[in-house]
Amino acid sequence: MENKIPNSWEHVMLKDLMVNVENKKLKSSKLREGDEVLVIRPVNLTNSGKVNLTNATLQKNPQDFRSVKKIAYGDILIKEFGRNNFKSAGQVSFCDITNDNEIYVISNSIQILRADSVRIHPKYLYFYLLYLKKVGYNKLIQNQNSNSYNLKMTLHFDTLVPLPPLEKQQQIVNILEEADLVIEKRGKVEQYLYDLLKSIFLEVFGDPALNPKGWKVGTIADLTNSTQYGINNKANEDSSGIPILRVNNVTTQGDWDFESLKYIESDQENFKKYMVKKGDLLIARTNTREYVGKNAVYRQEEPVVFVSYLIKLIANKEGNTEFISGYLNSEHGKKVLASIAKQTTSGMANINVKDLLKIPMYLPAKKLQEDYARQVEYIEKLKKKYKLIASEQELLFDSILQNSFKGALQSNIQKKAYVLKHNQGTSLPSFSANKPLPKEETRSITQLVNKKRILHLIQEQFRNSFFSFEDLRKASERLGFNLSYDRLRNYLYETLEEPDKQLQLIFSNKNEESEYQILFVWRGKSE
């Protein structure tokens, strides 16, 4: 892939910019030999280009294999193999592991690219490979076999890389790292919203493993009206026919990923039989033992169908699918799902409907389940706002990325990076929970009256529901309260510090150096 570049740049093949790394494959029979080491698998390579070590697995590896598969800081890890979606093959991550006390090796389906730092900055090479993936270059150098995709690494090594002088590479890396950091922070906010949902579930219903609130105990069958396996038709990617939900569309967070959506040709009878409606719960019945049972409630208006590897569950009049999904997505729920799964001859884990319906669970009142579902709906609206902002930022980042490797004027790239950093979209105001404004030592009667009015407003409009600072600001403006941003913020923090804890902060940043949106809830009585 060759683009026009400035005269001071050159095009160099990828293989000529790397230190030779022997990427030999290890036979499965050898995995029982040697000492245990931590193994990085494709699942550890994240979409954000990071290496997630939280679920790296311990595995025996022979010493000679370990010596060539050990990763080091600055290595670029590329996924050679992808299932069900061509986009996953060629996924790249930058290794920023600096812990010398641990040895990490890569699995057979990951390739190490180690940059020759004399000629190319490792991060510059990472960003260029990321650019190639984003523009679809990897699809041109793949083999497809059934539902799997394999990257032709020999062709990849012949890829031409636009190479500026090292000083210029460093300038480009600095700009892209700053832009990438903005995208990363938005990802953290989305993760906090997922964590918030789990916290709300535990607050409302208690730990499923302990049932501290003493709910009546039954099984999933007690909350279920019907279950069904999906359709077994061949799917296509050309957007013709009916959208079909597959196992990889369900995320491990209990959400949906529609980027790799496929379609099937189906008659009206089949469409009606296998249709998924808003509010239906879909559960993956076949996967690895780690991910079998991953599930999500379908929350879209557009009707779709679903594959046979998914189970559709419709709740009865005593149950709510958001509650059932919250239970199954809890730490306890995931352990139970893994424990009832049976190993198949193909090595995958499987759950059948009969065993699924026998899963024990507590049975809180339907009204409480519906209250929780409304909180889920509220969080989903927040997630949509952030996703919209994130998509706008992603487009701007892609533009910066593309221009960086065409030798565009540095001032133009820096301008776009500045916009990305400072134009955070139409997000709600964010501020640090750890650094509230100081209280004033004295306060006028007018200020005391204003605080009383604000608290009354919270009790009337937001009691027992979550609200943000922006929600409160807009509500106060509608009622004609002329309060500054700082004054309103002070009122909230002063109320938080009061001993009766009627106002609670339920969503805060976990890093004192970062600022994120905060949500509040009024738990006190109305005056």
Side-chain angles (χ1 to χ4, degrees):
M1 187 171 184
E2 186 172 354
N3 294 318
K4 290 183 179 180
I5 55 175
N7 293 332
S8 60
W9 294 30
E10 59 179 326
H11 275 116
V12 183
M13 283 188 177
L14 175 59
K15 62 186 177 185
D16 295 327
L17 295 171
M18 296 190 307
V19 174
N20 186 34
V21 177
E22 186 182 357
N23 279 287
K24 69 178 184 180
K25 308 300 180 185
L26 181 66
K27 293 181 179 179
S28 57
S29 60
K30 293 287 186 181
L31 293 177
R32 294 186 292 272
E33 300 177 6
D35 298 328
E36 285 189 334
V37 292
L38 287 164
V39 177
I40 304 296
R41 300 169 295 154
V43 70
N44 300 112
L45 307 187
T46 68
N47 290 329
S48 62
K50 308 295 181 185
V51 180
N52 179 13
L53 300 176
T54 55
N55 56 348
T57 58
L58 276 171
Q59 196 176 81
K60 288 186 176 182
N61 270 222
Q63 183 63 42
D64 61 335
F65 177 78
R66 201 180 318 159
S67 63
V68 298
K69 285 287 192 177
K70 181 182 177 182
I71 57 176
Y73 179 85
D75 283 350
I76 298 161
L77 308 182
I78 185 164
K79 190 193 297 185
E80 291 187 62
F81 170 82
R83 188 182 294 277
N84 296 319
N85 180 9
F86 76 88
K87 293 181 180 179
S88 59
Q91 182 176 341
V92 291
S93 292
F94 185 82
C95 178
D96 56 0
I97 300 170
T98 56
N99 185 1
D100 294 330
N101 297 323
E102 293 282 5
I103 297 175
Y104 295 94
V105 300
I106 57 170
S107 66
N108 283 342
S109 53
I110 297 175
Q111 181 102 6
I112 297 177
L113 303 183
R114 189 164 293 161
D116 180 0
S117 58
V118 174
R119 301 193 67 188
I120 189 167
H121 192 298
K123 209 64 180 286
Y124 175 88
L125 180 57
Y126 159 73
F127 279 122
Y128 184 67
L129 293 174
L130 178 65
Y131 161 70
L132 291 182
K133 182 180 181 297
K134 283 178 172 288
V135 298
Y137 175 70
N138 291 341
K139 190 175 182 180
L140 303 176
I141 54 173
Q142 287 180 6
N143 277 328
Q144 182 178 0
N145 181 17
S146 185
N147 287 329
S148 64
Y149 299 82
N150 294 282
L151 205 62
K152 300 176 185 176
M153 291 307 299
T154 52
L155 291 179
H156 210 6
F157 290 144
D158 289 338
T159 300
L160 291 174
V161 179
L163 193 68
L166 277 171
E167 183 181 354
K168 186 71 171 179
Q169 291 178 38
Q170 184 65 64
Q171 291 174 1
I172 292 172
V173 167
N174 291 344
I175 292 171
L176 290 176
E177 280 186 329
E178 190 170 1
D180 192 39
L181 187 60
V182 177
I183 304 297
E184 184 182 346
K185 284 186 176 181
R186 278 295 169 199
K188 288 182 179 179
V189 172
E190 190 172 341
Q191 181 58 49
Y192 291 157
L193 289 175
Y194 284 120
D195 293 342
L196 174 59
L197 272 180
K198 293 178 181 179
S199 298
I200 294 171
F201 185 91
L202 293 175
E203 181 184 342
V204 175
F205 303 109
D207 187 345
L210 303 174
N211 191 13
K213 297 181 185 277
W215 304 113
K216 176 185 173 183
V217 176
T219 65
I220 288 183
D222 294 319
L223 303 179
T224 301
N225 177 57
S226 65
T227 56
Q228 180 190 3
Y229 294 123
I231 194 170
N232 191 21
N233 285 23
K234 187 176 180 180
N236 61 73
E237 297 179 355
D238 60 8
S239 302
S240 63
I242 301 166
I244 183 166
L245 298 177
R246 297 171 297 138
V247 172
N248 66 312
N249 294 124
V250 185
T251 74
T252 57
Q253 300 272 28
D255 207 345
W256 294 97
D257 178 4
F258 296 119
E259 280 193 16
S260 58
L261 202 61
K262 289 191 175 183
Y263 302 81
I264 64 165
E265 298 294 338
S266 179
D267 54 37
Q268 193 64 24
E269 183 179 346
N270 265 339
F271 176 70
K272 287 182 178 179
K273 184 177 179 181
Y274 297 103
M275 184 170 66
V276 182
K277 296 180 181 178
K278 185 178 181 180
D280 292 347
L281 173 62
L282 292 179
I283 305 164
R285 67 181 179 91
T286 301
N287 211 309
T288 62
R289 189 166 293 275
E290 187 178 7
Y291 297 123
V292 68
K294 64 177 183 172
N295 64 91
V297 175
Y298 185 68
R299 304 183 182 100
Q300 310 301 312
E301 298 291 346
E302 180 187 9
V304 294
V305 294
F306 65 110
V307 297
S308 59
Y309 291 113
L310 292 171
I311 298 170
K312 181 175 74 172
L313 185 150
I314 300 175
N316 61 22
K317 62 180 181 180
E318 301 298 327
N320 184 287
T321 50
E322 291 289 3
F323 165 70
I324 298 172
S325 180
Y327 187 95
L328 293 177
N329 281 315
S330 68
E331 185 178 344
H332 172 73
K334 289 181 177 180
K335 287 180 180 178
V336 173
L337 287 166
S339 70
I340 67 169
K342 296 179 175 65
Q343 203 76 13
T344 66
T345 54
S346 64
M348 301 294 279
N350 182 269
I351 294 174
N352 60 47
V353 166
K354 185 178 178 181
D355 291 336
L356 174 71
L357 294 178
K358 287 181 181 178
I359 291 177
M361 67 183 301
Y362 46 45
L363 307 174
K366 177 69 178 294
K367 184 182 182 303
L368 202 60
Q369 295 180 45
E370 290 176 342
D371 287 345
Y372 169 73
R374 280 191 286 272
Q375 303 301 343
V376 173
E377 184 180 9
Y378 179 83
I379 300 300
E380 285 300 315
K381 288 179 181 178
L382 283 179
K383 281 160 60 177
K384 284 182 180 178
K385 286 183 180 180
Y386 278 113
K387 284 180 179 179
L388 180 61
I389 295 166
S391 64
E392 293 172 354
Q393 292 178 336
E394 191 73 34
L395 287 173
L396 187 52
F397 176 75
D398 291 350
S399 176
I400 297 169
L401 199 62
Q402 183 177 17
N403 281 282
S404 295
F405 302 113
K406 288 183 176 179
L409 290 174
Q410 197 76 5
S411 59
N412 290 341
I413 300 174
Q414 288 175 328
K415 184 178 179 181
K416 288 186 177 182
Y418 179 87
V419 172
L420 177 60
K421 181 179 179 180
H422 295 280
N423 182 12
Q424 299 291 313
T426 56
S427 59
L428 303 177
S430 58
F431 43 90
S432 172
N434 299 320
K435 298 177 182 179
L437 294 176
K439 291 182 181 180
E440 294 180 358
E441 294 183 5
T442 58
R443 189 185 320 280
S444 67
I445 294 176
T446 301
Q447 290 171 336
L448 290 171
V449 170
N450 278 339
K451 181 178 179 182
K452 195 79 171 176
R453 293 168 72 192
I454 290 297
L455 294 181
H456 182 72
L457 170 63
I458 292 172
Q459 294 165 18
E460 289 296 313
Q461 296 198 22
F462 302 110
R463 187 166 180 255
N464 289 331
S465 63
F466 301 104
F467 64 96
S468 67
F469 180 88
E470 182 68 354
D471 295 331
L472 181 60
R473 188 186 65 79
K474 289 180 178 179
S476 66
E477 283 183 353
R478 286 195 297 269
L479 294 177
F481 295 177
N482 260 329
L483 298 175
S484 68
Y485 176 101
D486 290 345
R487 182 69 62 204
L488 189 58
R489 180 182 175 189
N490 248 5
Y491 289 162
L492 281 176
Y493 281 113
E494 289 171 14
T495 307
L496 279 172
E497 293 171 0
E498 291 175 356
D500 57 8
K501 300 295 183 186
Q502 296 188 97
L503 182 68
Q504 295 177 15
L505 179 108
I506 60 165
F507 177 42
S508 177
N509 63 317
K510 297 182 180 179
N511 183 344
E512 291 184 0
E513 296 177 0
S514 303
E515 296 187 342
Y516 293 106
Q517 181 192 351
I518 294 172
L519 299 178
F520 304 89
V521 63
W522 180 265
R523 299 298 192 192
K525 297 179 180 179
S526 298
E527 295 181 356

